[in-house]
Amino acid sequence: MDMTKETLAEIRKNIRRAKKSEFYKKHFAGIDPEDVKAEADFLKLPFTDKEDLRNAYPLGLCAVPEERIVRIHSSSGTTGTPVIIPYTRKDVLDWAKMFKRCYEFAGVTAKDKIQITPGYGLWTAGIGFQLGAELLGAMALPLGPGNTDKQIKMMIDMGTTVLTATSSYALLLAEEIAKRGVKDKIRLKKGVIGSERWGKKMRKRIADELGVELYDIYGLTEVYGPGIGINCMHDAAMHMWTDYMYYEIIDPATGEPVKEGERGELVITTLQKEGAPLIRYRTHDLTREVLGKCACGQDYPRIAAIDGRSDDMVKVKGTIIFPSRVDELLSGVDGVSSEYQIMIDHVNGKDVVTVFFETARKSDGERRDLEKTVEREFKVSVGMTPKAKAVGMGELPRSEKKTPRIFDNRY
Ligand code: ZN
């Protein structure tokens, strides 16, 4: 996104701050912030990745004397060492200001009652939603996750107007409210949903069942937490707070910037952070810049809702296959279920892609027609023709966690 002289000055300041940490002292050894005079110089700076942050455990990222740290958070390390992010008093306040702005963009006011269902603790979610609510002057109801009976009771008794949740928990609550027949006692107007990949179908169900407007809030613990961007009531794209961060969108395979408006990986450089400044941090979240001015009249640039992770993609014969793109194209083919698997094999010196999909149709003729349609649609959406293979419903393996979709058997 546009790099102004002021942004460049902020970036130089940020590099100077960052280089006080053990991590950036090494990572940026030999880099003089004064040499970053133009965007081209900035683009030569090395990326920072989650693995770097893990290796800096516990406080290698800390760029100020430890007595200035007022809080730490930790990102959910499902594998191995967690990442510890230290915050100064200013960092905590900046985060609250950004979060307050998110609520304001969603039309939430001091008169609202905000029920907070994301978790509290080392994770940044719950406390971020609360900080923003309190700074806004709204009433925070800090329930945290789980205990659906109590959630619904509080929602009714307190007259909650804003629900903050993950998309899956919002859906669960919506279903429970419908099941119990208490929808007429619920006063909800808005839902602020933490950024996960969630389909249009799910969004519509939550909105319809709860009777609310939904907002996508973006963020990650490494960079404050949730609250660094949100969509407004005019559009589904998220406004990003460029006074606190500089954003790039890169080709995840080459690391080069994508063309304006093209899809790629979001990379964030903090401009204000003191405790743990980050430079060119790879989020692995896939999005694209949404060009043009938003109907709300705000100048904050926008990105499309996150629709995948760069770690999930594979490259075949120069073409990148994203599971989210495949989800999308298959959902548009009548007769094909949402369950599919892609196998990539190396046969006789060639990469072969096979798409298995489930269908309720039984006759060979019908199945062959579906296979042809999938092959054609794949070519249009992904840019290469696979071999498509129809199987019966329930024939592909299921997993309780996230079901793997792409199996790369080439290596
Ligand atoms: Zn807007």
Side-chain angles (χ1 to χ4, degrees):
M1 292 175 196
D2 287 349
M3 185 178 269
T4 60
K5 256 190 191 149
E6 290 73 32
T7 310
L8 268 166
E10 297 273 16
I11 286 170
R12 281 192 295 270
K13 220 195 281 175
N14 189 52
I15 299 173
R16 277 196 291 272
R17 268 198 302 265
K19 283 192 80 170
K20 294 198 175 103
S21 71
E22 286 302 316
F23 167 66
Y24 276 107
K25 233 176 248 168
K26 273 190 232 140
H27 197 53
F28 272 38
I31 292 172
D32 183 348
E34 299 317 311
D35 292 341
V36 183
K37 293 192 182 86
E39 188 172 5
D41 306 320
F42 173 76
L43 292 176
K44 281 183 213 141
L45 298 174
F47 290 112
T48 300
D49 217 325
K50 184 128 179 183
E51 198 52 36
D52 298 321
L53 270 44
R54 252 183 224 124
N55 294 337
Y57 182 86
L59 278 171
L61 282 174
C62 189
V64 296
E66 274 180 39
E67 62 263 29
R68 287 196 53 213
I69 299 301
V70 300
R71 191 198 291 167
I72 61 147
H73 279 290
S74 171
S75 73
S76 47
T78 41
T79 51
T81 317
V83 169
I84 301 281
I85 305 291
Y87 295 63
T88 64
R89 189 187 298 273
K90 179 187 187 300
D91 294 337
V92 170
L93 189 61
D94 282 348
W95 183 20
K97 286 183 193 164
M98 283 187 274
F99 218 120
K100 175 175 178 258
R101 194 189 288 166
C102 286
Y103 281 131
E104 286 166 345
F105 268 60
V108 178
T109 72
K111 289 186 184 148
D112 279 301
K113 295 171 181 177
I114 307 176
Q115 191 153 328
I116 299 161
T117 73
Y120 283 76
L122 275 175
W123 199 31
T124 47
I127 203 160
F129 281 98
Q130 178 158 349
L131 278 173
E134 289 172 351
L135 194 63
L136 181 68
M139 185 197 290
L141 284 67
L143 273 86
N147 202 343
T148 304
D149 283 336
K150 196 169 185 179
Q151 299 278 4
I152 294 175
K153 183 174 163 44
M154 288 293 254
M155 217 178 264
I156 294 170
D157 296 347
M158 297 300 298
T160 302
T161 56
V162 178
L163 173 69
T164 67
T166 60
S167 54
S168 42
Y169 197 55
L171 183 63
L172 188 146
L173 281 173
E175 286 170 342
E176 273 304 311
I177 288 165
K179 208 168 22 175
R180 294 173 193 207
V182 292
K183 197 178 164 186
D184 58 331
K185 293 187 183 137
I186 300 288
R187 299 283 164 263
L188 285 180
K189 289 185 296 193
K190 293 167 199 289
V192 179
I193 308 298
S195 64
E196 292 173 290
R197 212 174 105 199
W198 51 318
K200 282 191 191 116
K201 267 186 200 161
M202 188 176 190
R203 168 183 281 273
K204 193 169 167 351
R205 265 185 77 197
I206 297 170
D208 289 351
E209 297 217 5
L210 290 177
V212 296
E213 282 168 17
L214 292 177
Y215 293 88
D216 260 322
I217 196 160
Y218 181 68
L220 55 163
T221 297
E222 298 90 311
V223 189
Y224 297 99
I228 65 171
I230 194 168
N231 68 301
C232 67
M233 61 189 76
H234 293 275
D235 195 73
M238 300 184 287
H239 287 280
M240 304 299 280
W241 313 142
T242 38
D243 42 350
Y244 291 92
M245 255 112 7
Y246 178 73
Y247 298 94
E248 300 169 73
I249 295 176
I250 62 158
D251 176 337
T254 64
E256 296 296 319
V258 297
K259 287 199 199 85
E260 209 179 43
E262 258 178 28
R263 195 158 177 276
E265 177 183 333
L266 185 68
V267 172
I268 299 177
T269 295
T270 62
L271 299 176
Q272 304 288 334
K273 220 160 187 258
E274 294 179 333
L278 290 175
I279 298 146
R280 305 196 83 199
Y281 182 67
R282 293 189 63 159
T283 66
H284 293 277
D285 285 331
L286 296 172
T287 184
R288 62 189 164 79
E289 187 176 359
V290 175
L291 304 170
K293 204 169 163 95
C294 182
C296 71
Q298 292 280 354
D299 283 325
Y300 293 107
R302 291 172 296 157
I303 59 167
I306 306 301
D307 66 350
R309 302 262 315 153
S310 62
D311 338 46
D312 292 341
M313 63 169 211
V314 287
K315 208 168 183 178
V316 182
K317 298 181 214 164
T319 305
I320 292 171
I321 304 177
F322 293 106
S324 56
R325 192 62 55 89
V326 180
D327 279 339
E328 216 176 273
L329 83 92
L330 289 181
S331 71
V333 181
D334 206 28
V336 173
S337 99
S338 60
E339 291 304 309
Y340 71 91
Q341 263 181 13
I342 297 177
M343 292 286 172
I344 305 166
D345 295 286
H346 198 69
V347 186
N348 301 330
K350 270 198 204 151
D351 290 339
V352 179
V353 177
T354 314
V355 181
F356 295 89
F357 61 89
E358 292 187 354
T359 178
R361 303 215 174 136
K362 299 231 162 19
S363 87
D364 286 350
E366 279 181 307
R367 286 190 173 191
R368 206 149 306 136
D369 285 345
L370 276 182
E371 288 168 358
K372 278 191 192 131
T373 309
V374 168
E375 285 169 5
R376 206 169 46 233
E377 289 300 316
F378 209 94
K379 170 77 183 159
V380 172
S381 304
V382 180
M384 54 111 32
T385 309
K387 190 170 167 42
K389 188 91 195 68
V391 299
M393 298 299 281
E395 278 185 35
L396 294 175
R398 306 285 200 266
S399 151
E400 279 194 11
K401 289 187 212 125
K402 205 177 138 210
T403 309
R405 298 296 185 189
I406 301 186
F407 297 84
D408 195 343
N409 308 317
R410 288 175 294 179
Y411 312 106

